[in-house]
Amino acid sequence: APGPNLHGAPCPGAGLAVEPPPLGSGAELWPTGKALPPPDEAAAAREAVLLATGAMNPLHRGHVDMLHAAAGRLHAHGFHVSQAYLSPSHDGYVQPKAAASGTIGLSAAFRLCAAQRAVEADPLVSVAAWEAAQPGEWPDFPEVCEALRGRLGGGRRLFYVCGADHAARCGLGGGMGEVGVVVVPRGAAGPPPPAEQPARGVFVASPARGEAAAFSSTLVREALAERDFEAASRYLSPAVAQLMLRPTAEHLAAFEADYRQIGIVSENPVADAPGGGGGAAGAEERRAVGAGRKRSSC
């Protein structure tokens, strides 16, 4: 059966719909329900909105923590951060990348559904469907930035949030013109960040800390392959681990092709697990290497 259509498949049980409205017809492509109004005129003059893009195949807690780290750095510099967006990439980017690397390539609809569940309780971060929903060729991150800037209008500064490796690879150390940049380094495990240049809108947040600093989509995919619900809950969230590893019949029907990639074909994940087990084989290895493994750039 074909995978779910972005424009026709809801996310069963999630608070938000996966399918966007017809392109350009509404703000749902850029949700505003979590917007934090500036408390006064001074804050309104320094209002900032954050955007992070990436495959998010699937999204993990490190993606969310990155936006909070960026918000903290901008708050310290006097900005009022009113909104923050995670933008999962278009299938036109993710699927060839996954095929080339020999990994699973979850559909845009499923990645959006998982991401929405991951941030349901987050007070700041929302999931934007604009990028994933575009027809034709996939939009690169500068195009996504410009699309969001067009919605924001004047008075609010957009900041693109990324890791130090992405900033170096894409030459963002000198800024992005009207779009600011906040680099969130990995710490000792990753490349050094660029120097801050506030005049050009370039800021560097404190390195990611705690166990989430080592999380990566690779670790998540390994946990899914082993049906390791405990590890998946740590990397993702219990709600997303439930979606991924213990789906309802409704989820299985809506995202059949995605669950086939994960290796789940029924509502009984134990029966589908390799060897009929519960994922214990790889759990100890993940616990041993998780703290030292680099996080994916997306």
Side-chain angles (χ1 to χ4, degrees):
N5 188 311
L6 260 180
H7 293 274
C11 178
L16 297 173
V18 167
E19 86 283 9
L23 295 178
S25 71
E28 288 85 355
L29 297 174
W30 301 102
T32 58
K34 295 182 180 180
L36 304 173
D40 50 44
E41 290 186 5
R46 298 274 288 173
E47 187 173 355
V49 175
L50 309 182
L51 170 68
T53 64
M56 303 180 200
N57 184 39
L59 173 140
H60 53 76
R61 280 175 46 206
H63 293 115
V64 181
D65 288 358
M66 181 172 69
L67 283 174
H68 282 283
R73 177 65 191 94
L74 293 182
H75 280 308
H77 198 73
F79 284 96
H80 170 74
V81 178
S82 60
Q83 297 177 81
Y85 290 109
L86 287 169
S87 177
S89 295
H90 194 281
D91 270 339
Y93 168 76
V94 173
Q95 301 307 327
K97 178 182 178 182
S101 61
T103 65
I104 62 173
L106 301 173
S107 70
F110 194 55
R111 287 182 286 114
L112 284 168
C113 185
Q116 287 165 355
R117 284 183 164 236
V119 303
E120 276 180 342
D122 192 283
L124 177 67
V125 180
S126 297
V127 175
W130 184 90
E131 178 182 358
Q134 292 306 295
E137 295 186 3
W138 57 275
D140 205 354
F141 72 93
E143 298 172 70
V144 184
C145 289
E146 287 307 307
L148 179 51
R149 280 189 69 224
R151 293 203 62 85
L152 295 177
R156 288 178 285 180
R157 181 79 183 270
L158 176 62
F159 284 85
Y160 182 68
V161 181
C162 64
D165 46 359
H166 182 81
R169 186 167 60 249
C170 299
L172 304 184
M176 292 177 63
E178 295 298 316
V179 177
V181 177
V182 184
V183 179
V184 183
R186 297 172 183 161
E196 278 204 334
Q197 298 187 63
R200 292 192 172 188
V202 179
F203 295 88
V204 177
S206 298
R209 296 177 180 176
E211 66 171 1
F215 290 174
S216 70
S217 292
T218 299
L219 281 177
V220 174
R221 290 190 291 266
E222 290 175 357
L224 295 179
E226 292 290 336
R227 311 294 185 270
D228 189 339
F229 188 83
E230 178 186 349
S233 294
R234 287 205 325 274
Y235 300 154
L236 303 162
S237 75
V240 180
Q242 187 81 22
L243 171 72
M244 295 280 188
L245 292 178
R246 298 175 181 174
T248 64
E250 189 179 15
H251 288 124
L252 283 167
F255 302 113
E256 179 183 357
D258 293 292
Y259 284 116
R260 277 204 310 269
Q261 291 191 66
I262 299 173
I264 292 178
V265 296
S266 75
E267 294 179 75
N268 181 0
V270 175
D272 298 335
E284 288 303 319
E285 181 181 356
R286 276 190 297 281
R287 294 187 185 100
V289 305
R293 184 172 300 195
K294 290 186 178 181
R295 206 169 41 141
S296 167
S297 63
C298 58

